Amino acid sequence: MHQVTCVVHGGAGHWPDEEQEQALEECLAAVRAGWHVLQSGGDAVAAVVAAVVVLEDSPLFNAGVGSVPTEEGHVEMDAAVMEGKELKAGAVALVRSVRNPVRLALEVLKLGQEVMLAGEAAERWARAVGLATVSEEELIRAAVRRPTPPERIGGTVGAVAVDVHGNVAAATSTGGRRGKRSGRIGDSPVIGAGTYADNRGGAASATGDGEAILRFGLGRYAVSQLERGLSPAIAGGMALAEISRRLVGEAGLILVDRFGRFGIAHNTRSMPVAWLRSGCSRPEASICSIPEGRGPARLFVRGMD
Amino acid sequence: MHQVTCVVHGGAGHWPDEEQEQALEECLAAVRAGWHVLQSGGDAVAAVVAAVVVLEDSPLFNAGVGSVPTEEGHVEMDAAVMEGKELKAGAVALVRSVRNPVRLALEVLKLGQEVMLAGEAAERWARAVGLATVSEEELIRAAVRRPTPPERIGGTVGAVAVDVHGNVAAATSTGGRRGKRSGRIGDSPVIGAGTYADNRGGAASATGDGEAILRFGLGRYAVSQLERGLSPAIAGGMALAEISRRLVGEAGLILVDRFGRFGIAHNTRSMPVAWLRSGCSRPEASICSIPEGRGPARLFVRGMD
């Protein structure tokens, strides 16, 4: 037997006190959206996409309408979704005018031909399937209106889920690093880096220093640890300890395994998360702050087995 | 003690008899170019790039000047390079006017900021660092002039090496699938899929059905098997058996571990390869053809321990 589970994150980084309450509320709304899909008999892929759409639609997070601008003042969004039964995956990169890039990633997955589409070609496919668009001006206005605290990195969003059939899925969406070079693709849309799912292990969505996550292959590594039978909290902690030891980089990770166990890990000061699992009466949310200052490297880990 | 080693491949697929001799000659030339770098005390990264440049410059392979066109008649090239000491990586996607995309991937690695750059932004960087350009018309003329046999898939090129310091590296370059949708990014430039390197295990360059390789994370998986201590031939065979069991897809793989052992594996009819290792008097090349017809799934594996 397994438990139906949905977990979301709103990005590893440093969340100022005045934004934390709202971030948690939005994460709760996202997990409820995913949960609604799962309770209606929907599959894990549909659930993680529904959850991520809620976070993309919030200007608080660095994804969808809240995406931060590139060095040239454009918005270039990346997203991916993957399911663990048949390893189907869809990813889009450098998208400028699609309201919900994660929905476009889902369309790429459903199309079943390419795994990764970038730029104008991805936007053409969005128009072909009738996805909602947003003008780049609107995105940039939203980005400029909200002066993100410079110390807040990340803000990438993601979700993982296990459905009633025991299938797992993961989705991730981001506007990328603030002031990034135009054309830069980070870890979020890279299958095996920011996003990975395999029923043999579980599903993972990562956030943080994209280049380090890409070079290490964090998502795939974490799911491999689940495949060994480690609990998601231990696997997440191990994966972050390992990436920290090999590479400089701040990162966070949510993980679910095929039994519905889940884990949350980050080495950044904070990361807003929310979760709901069959048997629990209501969703819970948390935004742990790791103390600042010198001392041993800090790593926050939690989970439910 | 380890051995200095260089191995190259010219793409998993079906090579017609009349092209096999030339493919082997070009692979030998490529391995000599890589070897020359290694013998001059150059590092593994420089060696794999030098080897891949030779194959990009040959119209016979689906990379560089031999790249096949997209469905819209454009050329969109992808390439990546990674080294295993510090896990530094550079990748470029959807490049249209750079003569040697693998050189551009090396420039991205050296820049040390982004890991993956796509499209016009990648081309701008190529111009900024003064890389040789080629007009798209020239590339398309070359592609059209050479009517690739329809049964030949792949033609992607790659190299792996171990240098005198025991550091490993891998590089891969491709024009992608013939008639691909514009904007499609395959496995070659995706760190962990078509290209991966980590001194703890070794280095891998893959070729074949890009979407399957991406979804499975073939490069990272194979290097993980090396980290367990398996010999590269066994690790390559295991990785291909596993991807074949999970996903439909034809693929090939070259692998080198930190001891200078190497492995070659493919489940396609043929894949031209060449190799040279310290202690050997001259480079060798091979293009094995797996028999056609019904029967058990065929897998070609060879290597030197």
Side-chain angles (χ1 to χ4, degrees):
Chain A
M1 268 303 291
H2 69 276
Q3 282 165 295
V4 175
T5 306
C6 185
V7 185
V8 308
H9 73 78
H14 174 197
W15 286 76
D17 291 347
E18 62 275 18
E19 284 184 346
Q20 296 197 358
E21 204 52 46
Q22 195 192 341
L24 290 178
E25 284 303 321
E26 308 263 21
C27 285
L28 285 169
V31 92
R32 279 191 206 100
W35 191 252
H36 179 73
V37 171
L38 295 170
Q39 287 299 95
S40 321
D43 63 19
V45 174
V48 294
V49 169
V52 166
V53 162
V54 169
L55 300 172
E56 284 179 337
D57 284 342
S58 161
L60 193 63
F61 302 98
N62 177 18
V65 299
S67 294
V68 299
T70 67
E71 64 175 355
E72 293 172 359
H74 292 294
V75 168
E76 294 182 349
M77 301 173 285
D78 301 335
V81 60
M82 183 167 190
E83 62 81 43
K85 188 183 175 193
E86 300 179 74
L87 306 182
K88 288 185 197 160
V92 294
L94 310 175
V95 166
R96 292 186 173 189
S97 70
V98 178
R99 185 168 177 89
N100 293 110
V102 75
R103 283 198 206 275
L104 181 54
L106 178 61
E107 294 295 336
V108 173
L109 181 152
K110 285 181 178 171
L111 181 64
Q113 295 177 2
E114 299 80 18
V115 166
M116 193 170 193
L117 280 183
E120 284 169 30
E123 312 229 348
R124 270 200 301 277
W125 186 243
R127 288 192 293 275
V129 296
L131 287 186
T133 58
V134 57
S135 75
E136 201 181 356
E137 291 66 34
E138 196 178 330
L139 287 174
I140 292 165
R141 271 204 308 279
V144 170
R145 203 165 46 231
R146 189 176 53 84
T148 314
E151 71 275 21
R152 165 135 72 87
I153 61 154
T156 295
V157 305
V160 293
V162 192
D163 63 26
V164 68
H165 303 294
N167 294 320
V168 304
T172 311
S173 182
T174 191
R177 202 175 52 225
R178 177 178 285 275
K180 67 183 176 183
R181 191 188 302 268
S182 179
R184 174 255 191 189
I185 299 177
D187 64 300
S188 303
V190 172
I191 300 304
T195 309
Y196 205 68
D198 183 345
N199 275 2
R200 294 193 184 182
S205 171
T207 159
D209 182 333
E211 274 67 22
I213 294 171
L214 244 174
R215 289 156 60 198
F216 186 72
L218 186 61
R220 183 75 160 91
Y221 180 88
V223 170
S224 295
Q225 303 310 313
L226 295 177
E227 206 171 329
R228 292 172 52 195
L230 294 181
S231 97
I234 306 297
M238 265 191 57
L240 280 191
E242 192 66 10
I243 192 175
S244 304
R245 202 156 62 88
R246 298 297 298 281
L247 301 168
V248 178
E250 301 202 306
L253 194 58
I254 56 173
L255 284 170
V256 71
D257 73 6
R258 61 193 187 280
F259 308 111
R261 305 189 295 182
F262 68 85
I264 295 155
H266 58 94
N267 60 20
T268 55
R269 282 200 63 201
S270 48
M271 180 169 80
V273 290
W275 60 87
L276 183 49
R277 192 162 77 164
S278 48
C280 302
S281 55
R282 59 183 190 81
E284 291 179 25
S286 157
I287 182 162
C288 172
S289 277
I290 296 177
E292 271 185 306
R294 288 171 182 279
R298 306 283 189 153
L299 175 64
F300 174 85
V301 176
R302 77 176 290 168
M304 282 170 73
D305 272 2
Chain B
M1 268 303 290
H2 70 275
Q3 283 165 294
V4 175
T5 306
C6 185
V7 185
V8 307
H9 73 79
H14 174 195
W15 287 76
D17 291 346
E18 61 274 19
E19 285 185 345
Q20 296 197 359
E21 204 51 46
Q22 193 191 343
L24 290 178
E25 283 305 319
E26 308 264 19
C27 285
L28 285 168
V31 92
R32 279 189 206 102
W35 190 253
H36 179 74
V37 171
L38 295 169
Q39 288 299 96
S40 319
D43 63 19
V45 174
V48 292
V49 169
V52 166
V53 161
V54 169
L55 300 173
E56 284 180 338
D57 283 343
S58 160
L60 192 63
F61 303 98
N62 177 16
V65 298
S67 294
V68 298
T70 67
E71 62 175 356
E72 292 172 359
H74 293 294
V75 168
E76 293 182 350
M77 300 172 286
D78 302 334
V81 60
M82 182 167 191
E83 62 81 42
K85 187 182 176 194
E86 300 178 73
L87 306 182
K88 287 186 196 158
V92 294
L94 309 175
V95 166
R96 290 185 174 190
S97 69
V98 178
R99 186 170 176 87
N100 293 109
V102 75
R103 284 198 206 275
L104 181 54
L106 178 62
E107 293 296 334
V108 173
L109 180 153
K110 284 183 181 170
L111 181 64
Q113 295 177 2
E114 298 82 16
V115 167
M116 193 171 192
L117 280 182
E120 284 169 29
E123 311 229 348
R124 271 201 300 278
W125 187 244
R127 288 191 294 273
V129 296
L131 287 187
T133 57
V134 57
S135 74
E136 200 181 354
E137 291 66 36
E138 196 177 332
L139 287 174
I140 292 166
R141 269 204 309 277
V144 170
R145 201 164 47 229
R146 188 176 54 85
T148 314
E151 70 277 19
R152 165 134 72 86
I153 63 156
T156 295
V157 305
V160 293
V162 191
D163 63 28
V164 67
H165 304 292
N167 294 320
V168 303
T172 312
S173 181
T174 190
R177 203 175 51 225
R178 176 177 285 273
K180 68 183 175 184
R181 191 188 303 269
S182 178
R184 175 256 192 188
I185 299 177
D187 64 299
S188 304
V190 172
I191 300 303
T195 309
Y196 205 69
D198 182 346
N199 274 3
R200 293 194 184 180
S205 171
T207 159
D209 181 334
E211 275 66 23
I213 294 170
L214 245 173
R215 290 157 61 198
F216 186 74
L218 185 62
R220 183 76 160 90
Y221 180 89
V223 170
S224 295
Q225 303 311 312
L226 294 177
E227 207 170 329
R228 292 171 55 196
L230 294 182
S231 96
I234 306 297
M238 266 192 56
L240 281 191
E242 193 65 9
I243 193 174
S244 304
R245 202 156 61 88
R246 299 295 300 280
L247 301 168
V248 179
E250 301 202 306
L253 194 60
I254 57 173
L255 283 171
V256 70
D257 74 6
R258 62 193 185 282
F259 307 111
R261 304 188 295 180
F262 67 86
I264 294 155
H266 58 95
N267 60 19
T268 54
R269 283 201 63 199
S270 48
M271 179 168 82
V273 291
W275 61 86
L276 184 50
R277 192 162 78 164
S278 50
C280 300
S281 56
R282 59 182 190 84
E284 290 178 28
S286 157
I287 182 164
C288 171
S289 278
I290 296 178
E292 270 185 308
R294 288 170 183 279
R298 306 284 188 150
L299 175 63
F300 175 85
V301 176
R302 76 178 291 169
M304 280 171 75
D305 272 1

